[in-house]
Amino acid sequence: MGKKKKRAASKVWCYYCDREFDDEKILVQHQKAKHFKCHACHKKLSTASGMAIHVLQVHKEAVTKVPNAKPGRESTEIEIYGMQGIPPDVLAAHYGEEDEEAPPKVAKVEPRSAQLAANIVPGALGVRYPPQPTLGTVPPVYNPALSVPPGGWAMPPRAQPWFPPYPAVSVTPPMPAPLPPMQQPLFPVQAAVPPTSSATFPSSLQITPPGLPSSSIAQNSPADLKSLVAHASVGPTIADGSVVNSHSYASGPNTGGPSIGPPPVITNKAPATQPATNEVYLVWDDEAMSMEERRMSLPKYQVHDETSQMNSIDAAIDRRISESRLAGRMAF
Amino acid sequence: MAGFGAAPAGNHNPNKSFEVIQPPSDSVSSLSFSPRTNHLVATSWDNQVRCWELTRNGASVTSVPKASMSHDQPVLCSAWKDDGTTVFSGGCDKQAKMWSLMSGGQPVTVAMHDAPIKEIAWIPEMNVLVTGSWDKTLKYWDTRQSNPVHTQQLPERCYALTVRHPLMVVGTADRNLVVFNLQNPQAEFKRITSPLKYQTRCVAAFPDQQGFLVGSIEGRVGVHHLDDSQISKNFTFKCHRDNNDIYSVNSLNFHPVYHTFATAGSDGAFNFWDKDSKQRLKAMSRCSQPIPCSAFNNDGTIYAYSVCYDWSKGAENHNPATAKTYIFLHSPQEAEVKAKPRVGTSNRK
């Protein structure tokens, strides 16, 4: 199929790295994955300056350069989104070059960008977790959830156990399915796991009754928050960065959107601390006890405590005593 | 929430649900429907366990109080036996009682712990009662014997429990989630730390036993699959939040027919969700008080929820003189609870 020379202005291209793409949608996905991605938590932002602000606010680091950008194109101040915001001189220079090349080289440009597009497309569509994942893209899907745990210390261990199982994703067995097909994808996990597992739980890996899968030790480290964090990060956190949340949850007739929550800054903080950058707060924030336990500590609910522990005779006597005490104590 | 001396502002029934008559005089701690009939049991901080018979009349539902019995201290949990004849309840008196509604006899104590019993469930496949307590144990009881059949140590105080044989999940303090395969109940199948970063409030096992939901005090629900091959389907989502306020998710209930689920929170709202299409099916209006507990009846045609203070803002915000307790019945429309395929753009990241 012959392509016209100036179709779609001869293809869109990325300001930061000069790569070309078939359409702007893919270009934007590329930019988000390569240039607007937080290096610490892998959250994808929508612009370079947005990413810089995120890193500053959340990870307390100053970002001066756009990652993966060519020299001279690294400024975070210039607002680029897709093809928008490109300074006219750069734009002209790019097309000026292309014009020169075009006549003899149009044949080369096409295969090159087609190749790029071919690279990009599967990755960009990686949201459906293809069996052969482009690891460059899929982790970002999971990683935003890693803004949940404190800091980046969860990162390194996360990398190990969770990549291998990606191929397993394409296996969606109903539980009664025979174990052997499941065990195959589990092997990489098992291999990766022993180093990280605390192995306190000698859970049976092999034969399990239908209804419950052979367990992964990776998830068994009780105190190992990291693996759990990673575990949590594997599925996209729907609500992470309210952006994702509002896309993922298509609400019906909606009364005020409780699902569109506060920005993910909250989830970055360790539990029981209030995020400093936002005024949000937990209505019930006591990690040490539950609401019912706190309520139980109220004297009015404990009045009969003595009676329930004694035998009936003592209980009767005590009840009489406590009732008279109650009468005196009635304050509310 | 009410301040001192003021009646709860706002509408306590904005969803125009049917009100259950003669509600408890103090907050409701649990709601359970009979697995066979439309009988509803509510346990309360007023020490009572009450039972109503509900009847549908066309579009509306009416309630008739049937019976009640009492513990010595606040009752925290309830469960029905699978034959719909008997109710189990447990609470702060550290006992669980078995109450046979059919025979009208006196309730009998069938379980004891060293601390309040927070969760209770009847497991028909094993003919045992399981109780979870703040004494960090889970105990299994043959109701005819006074000693537990088995005592299972938990890492921390039991806060939440869900059973779908053979899957049982216990949520404890410190965000532990202990998974049991009831075919081997004496061993923990798996112990994980909650995917949510905050205190576990409630858990609900998937009807197909492939995993469970977990809700926390931080307005978030985690969807967790047990099998590693389904890890990618795990996710969490935020809910029950209102700008700067993050409310606890108090209750998770699966619809018995459609397998979608409802969440109810301290913000006084309840929502219906579909985890497979990752959608919220319906957001209901917020009531003026929190919803501490809720339940579907056996065929999903009635969703009962209680509107009363759950202590989410501490004792300071409780005024016993003006506090009101309600139990409402909502008839879910099919559109609210039936699973829907996703429409619109694919999930671009």
Side-chain angles (χ1 to χ4, degrees), chain A residues 65-83:
Chain A
K65 294 199 216 168
V66 173
N68 299 309
K70 290 169 75 166
R73 304 279 182 89
E74 288 164 324
S75 166
T76 57
E77 316 250 303
I78 186 163
E79 177 92 346
I80 301 285
Y81 183 78
M83 286 298 285

PDB file of all heavy atoms in Angstrom, chain A residues 65-83:
ATOM      1  N   LYS A  65      15.682  16.869  34.375  1.00  0.00           N
ATOM      2  CA  LYS A  65      15.727  16.422  32.985  1.00  0.00           C
ATOM      3  C   LYS A  65      14.618  15.428  32.706  1.00  0.00           C
ATOM      4  O   LYS A  65      14.290  14.598  33.543  1.00  0.00           O
ATOM      5  CB  LYS A  65      17.046  15.689  32.721  1.00  0.00           C
ATOM      6  CG  LYS A  65      18.255  16.565  32.807  1.00  0.00           C
ATOM      7  CD  LYS A  65      19.415  15.876  32.090  1.00  0.00           C
ATOM      8  CE  LYS A  65      20.714  16.141  32.808  1.00  0.00           C
ATOM      9  NZ  LYS A  65      21.787  15.294  32.330  1.00  0.00           N
ATOM     10  N   VAL A  66      14.111  15.505  31.511  1.00  0.00           N
ATOM     11  CA  VAL A  66      13.115  14.535  31.101  1.00  0.00           C
ATOM     12  C   VAL A  66      13.834  13.218  30.794  1.00  0.00           C
ATOM     13  O   VAL A  66      14.780  13.213  29.994  1.00  0.00           O
ATOM     14  CB  VAL A  66      12.371  15.035  29.848  1.00  0.00           C
ATOM     15  CG1 VAL A  66      11.443  13.960  29.321  1.00  0.00           C
ATOM     16  CG2 VAL A  66      11.617  16.314  30.170  1.00  0.00           C
ATOM     17  N   PRO A  67      13.399  12.133  31.387  1.00  0.00           N
ATOM     18  CA  PRO A  67      14.096  10.864  31.132  1.00  0.00           C
ATOM     19  C   PRO A  67      14.003  10.431  29.678  1.00  0.00           C
ATOM     20  O   PRO A  67      13.003  10.685  29.001  1.00  0.00           O
ATOM     21  CB  PRO A  67      13.356   9.862  32.031  1.00  0.00           C
ATOM     22  CG  PRO A  67      12.293  10.590  32.724  1.00  0.00           C
ATOM     23  CD  PRO A  67      12.335  12.026  32.370  1.00  0.00           C
ATOM     24  N   ASN A  68      15.058   9.784  29.200  1.00  0.00           N
ATOM     25  CA  ASN A  68      15.109   9.229  27.845  1.00  0.00           C
ATOM     26  C   ASN A  68      14.984  10.286  26.767  1.00  0.00           C
ATOM     27  O   ASN A  68      14.536  10.004  25.654  1.00  0.00           O
ATOM     28  CB  ASN A  68      13.988   8.182  27.636  1.00  0.00           C
ATOM     29  CG  ASN A  68      14.137   7.027  28.595  1.00  0.00           C
ATOM     30  OD1 ASN A  68      15.206   6.437  28.721  1.00  0.00           O
ATOM     31  ND2 ASN A  68      13.076   6.728  29.307  1.00  0.00           N
ATOM     32  N   ALA A  69      15.355  11.480  27.092  1.00  0.00           N
ATOM     33  CA  ALA A  69      15.237  12.543  26.095  1.00  0.00           C
ATOM     34  C   ALA A  69      16.594  12.824  25.480  1.00  0.00           C
ATOM     35  O   ALA A  69      17.631  12.635  26.104  1.00  0.00           O
ATOM     36  CB  ALA A  69      14.676  13.804  26.738  1.00  0.00           C
ATOM     37  N   LYS A  70      16.535  13.309  24.223  1.00  0.00           N
ATOM     38  CA  LYS A  70      17.793  13.659  23.578  1.00  0.00           C
ATOM     39  C   LYS A  70      18.312  14.951  24.192  1.00  0.00           C
ATOM     40  O   LYS A  70      17.549  15.761  24.707  1.00  0.00           O
ATOM     41  CB  LYS A  70      17.553  13.867  22.080  1.00  0.00           C
ATOM     42  CG  LYS A  70      17.241  12.560  21.365  1.00  0.00           C
ATOM     43  CD  LYS A  70      16.745  12.799  19.972  1.00  0.00           C
ATOM     44  CE  LYS A  70      17.853  13.201  19.036  1.00  0.00           C
ATOM     45  NZ  LYS A  70      17.438  13.110  17.628  1.00  0.00           N
ATOM     46  N   PRO A  71      19.633  15.143  24.106  1.00  0.00           N
ATOM     47  CA  PRO A  71      20.174  16.406  24.634  1.00  0.00           C
ATOM     48  C   PRO A  71      19.545  17.585  23.913  1.00  0.00           C
ATOM     49  O   PRO A  71      19.338  17.549  22.701  1.00  0.00           O
ATOM     50  CB  PRO A  71      21.682  16.318  24.339  1.00  0.00           C
ATOM     51  CG  PRO A  71      21.881  15.072  23.576  1.00  0.00           C
ATOM     52  CD  PRO A  71      20.671  14.241  23.643  1.00  0.00           C
ATOM     53  N   GLY A  72      19.240  18.613  24.678  1.00  0.00           N
ATOM     54  CA  GLY A  72      18.591  19.768  24.071  1.00  0.00           C
ATOM     55  C   GLY A  72      17.086  19.659  24.120  1.00  0.00           C
ATOM     56  O   GLY A  72      16.359  20.619  23.888  1.00  0.00           O
ATOM     57  N   ARG A  73      16.583  18.489  24.447  1.00  0.00           N
ATOM     58  CA  ARG A  73      15.135  18.318  24.512  1.00  0.00           C
ATOM     59  C   ARG A  73      14.711  17.898  25.909  1.00  0.00           C
ATOM     60  O   ARG A  73      13.653  17.322  26.115  1.00  0.00           O
ATOM     61  CB  ARG A  73      14.689  17.231  23.523  1.00  0.00           C
ATOM     62  CG  ARG A  73      15.095  17.451  22.099  1.00  0.00           C
ATOM     63  CD  ARG A  73      14.180  18.421  21.391  1.00  0.00           C
ATOM     64  NE  ARG A  73      14.535  18.614  19.998  1.00  0.00           N
ATOM     65  CZ  ARG A  73      14.072  17.873  18.999  1.00  0.00           C
ATOM     66  NH1 ARG A  73      13.252  16.868  19.235  1.00  0.00           N
ATOM     67  NH2 ARG A  73      14.444  18.137  17.764  1.00  0.00           N
ATOM     68  N   GLU A  74      15.563  18.175  26.868  1.00  0.00           N
ATOM     69  CA  GLU A  74      15.343  17.573  28.183  1.00  0.00           C
ATOM     70  C   GLU A  74      14.611  18.474  29.163  1.00  0.00           C
ATOM     71  O   GLU A  74      14.416  18.092  30.314  1.00  0.00           O
ATOM     72  CB  GLU A  74      16.685  17.208  28.820  1.00  0.00           C
ATOM     73  CG  GLU A  74      17.348  16.027  28.154  1.00  0.00           C
ATOM     74  CD  GLU A  74      18.809  15.948  28.542  1.00  0.00           C
ATOM     75  OE1 GLU A  74      19.455  16.996  28.695  1.00  0.00           O
ATOM     76  OE2 GLU A  74      19.296  14.820  28.718  1.00  0.00           O
ATOM     77  N   SER A  75      14.241  19.640  28.718  1.00  0.00           N
ATOM     78  CA  SER A  75      13.677  20.575  29.684  1.00  0.00           C
ATOM     79  C   SER A  75      12.298  20.119  30.157  1.00  0.00           C
ATOM     80  O   SER A  75      11.446  19.710  29.355  1.00  0.00           O
ATOM     81  CB  SER A  75      13.559  21.954  29.035  1.00  0.00           C
ATOM     82  OG  SER A  75      12.732  22.768  29.833  1.00  0.00           O
ATOM     83  N   THR A  76      12.076  20.256  31.462  1.00  0.00           N
ATOM     84  CA  THR A  76      10.768  19.891  31.986  1.00  0.00           C
ATOM     85  C   THR A  76       9.811  21.077  31.931  1.00  0.00           C
ATOM     86  O   THR A  76       8.640  20.942  32.237  1.00  0.00           O
ATOM     87  CB  THR A  76      10.862  19.426  33.447  1.00  0.00           C
ATOM     88  OG1 THR A  76      11.460  20.474  34.221  1.00  0.00           O
ATOM     89  CG2 THR A  76      11.690  18.169  33.570  1.00  0.00           C
ATOM     90  N   GLU A  77      10.350  22.222  31.527  1.00  0.00           N
ATOM     91  CA  GLU A  77       9.491  23.412  31.541  1.00  0.00           C
ATOM     92  C   GLU A  77       8.600  23.484  30.327  1.00  0.00           C
ATOM     93  O   GLU A  77       7.521  24.062  30.355  1.00  0.00           O
ATOM     94  CB  GLU A  77      10.357  24.676  31.533  1.00  0.00           C
ATOM     95  CG  GLU A  77      11.530  24.591  32.485  1.00  0.00           C
ATOM     96  CD  GLU A  77      11.310  25.535  33.645  1.00  0.00           C
ATOM     97  OE1 GLU A  77      11.141  26.717  33.353  1.00  0.00           O
ATOM     98  OE2 GLU A  77      11.265  25.075  34.791  1.00  0.00           O
ATOM     99  N   ILE A  78       9.060  22.898  29.261  1.00  0.00           N
ATOM    100  CA  ILE A  78       8.310  23.046  28.031  1.00  0.00           C
ATOM    101  C   ILE A  78       7.173  22.020  28.055  1.00  0.00           C
ATOM    102  O   ILE A  78       7.358  20.843  28.328  1.00  0.00           O
ATOM    103  CB  ILE A  78       9.273  22.887  26.822  1.00  0.00           C
ATOM    104  CG1 ILE A  78       8.539  23.182  25.531  1.00  0.00           C
ATOM    105  CG2 ILE A  78       9.921  21.548  26.768  1.00  0.00           C
ATOM    106  CD1 ILE A  78       9.510  23.447  24.408  1.00  0.00           C
ATOM    107  N   GLU A  79       5.973  22.520  27.784  1.00  0.00           N
ATOM    108  CA  GLU A  79       4.788  21.699  27.986  1.00  0.00           C
ATOM    109  C   GLU A  79       4.434  20.966  26.693  1.00  0.00           C
ATOM    110  O   GLU A  79       3.892  21.543  25.758  1.00  0.00           O
ATOM    111  CB  GLU A  79       3.634  22.628  28.408  1.00  0.00           C
ATOM    112  CG  GLU A  79       2.302  21.939  28.590  1.00  0.00           C
ATOM    113  CD  GLU A  79       2.085  21.490  30.030  1.00  0.00           C
ATOM    114  OE1 GLU A  79       3.064  21.481  30.805  1.00  0.00           O
ATOM    115  OE2 GLU A  79       0.950  21.136  30.364  1.00  0.00           O
ATOM    116  N   ILE A  80       4.737  19.695  26.666  1.00  0.00           N
ATOM    117  CA  ILE A  80       4.477  18.891  25.471  1.00  0.00           C
ATOM    118  C   ILE A  80       3.445  17.826  25.810  1.00  0.00           C
ATOM    119  O   ILE A  80       3.547  17.181  26.843  1.00  0.00           O
ATOM    120  CB  ILE A  80       5.771  18.168  25.021  1.00  0.00           C
ATOM    121  CG1 ILE A  80       6.872  19.165  24.732  1.00  0.00           C
ATOM    122  CG2 ILE A  80       5.505  17.278  23.817  1.00  0.00           C
ATOM    123  CD1 ILE A  80       6.738  19.906  23.458  1.00  0.00           C
ATOM    124  N   TYR A  81       2.494  17.676  24.916  1.00  0.00           N
ATOM    125  CA  TYR A  81       1.559  16.563  25.050  1.00  0.00           C
ATOM    126  C   TYR A  81       1.236  16.071  23.647  1.00  0.00           C
ATOM    127  O   TYR A  81       0.550  16.727  22.867  1.00  0.00           O
ATOM    128  CB  TYR A  81       0.292  17.004  25.780  1.00  0.00           C
ATOM    129  CG  TYR A  81      -0.659  15.869  26.003  1.00  0.00           C
ATOM    130  CD1 TYR A  81      -0.447  14.948  27.034  1.00  0.00           C
ATOM    131  CD2 TYR A  81      -1.762  15.677  25.184  1.00  0.00           C
ATOM    132  CE1 TYR A  81      -1.298  13.889  27.232  1.00  0.00           C
ATOM    133  CE2 TYR A  81      -2.624  14.624  25.373  1.00  0.00           C
ATOM    134  CZ  TYR A  81      -2.389  13.729  26.407  1.00  0.00           C
ATOM    135  OH  TYR A  81      -3.244  12.669  26.604  1.00  0.00           O
ATOM    136  N   GLY A  82       1.764  14.887  23.338  1.00  0.00           N
ATOM    137  CA  GLY A  82       1.573  14.408  21.970  1.00  0.00           C
ATOM    138  C   GLY A  82       2.334  15.318  21.028  1.00  0.00           C
ATOM    139  O   GLY A  82       3.541  15.518  21.154  1.00  0.00           O
ATOM    140  N   MET A  83       1.603  15.864  20.079  1.00  0.00           N
ATOM    141  CA  MET A  83       2.254  16.769  19.138  1.00  0.00           C
ATOM    142  C   MET A  83       2.058  18.223  19.547  1.00  0.00           C
ATOM    143  O   MET A  83       2.538  19.131  18.868  1.00  0.00           O
ATOM    144  CB  MET A  83       1.668  16.579  17.731  1.00  0.00           C
ATOM    145  CG  MET A  83       2.115  15.308  17.046  1.00  0.00           C
ATOM    146  SD  MET A  83       3.889  15.297  16.796  1.00  0.00           S
ATOM    147  CE  MET A  83       4.037  16.433  15.436  1.00  0.00           C
TER     148      MET A  83
END
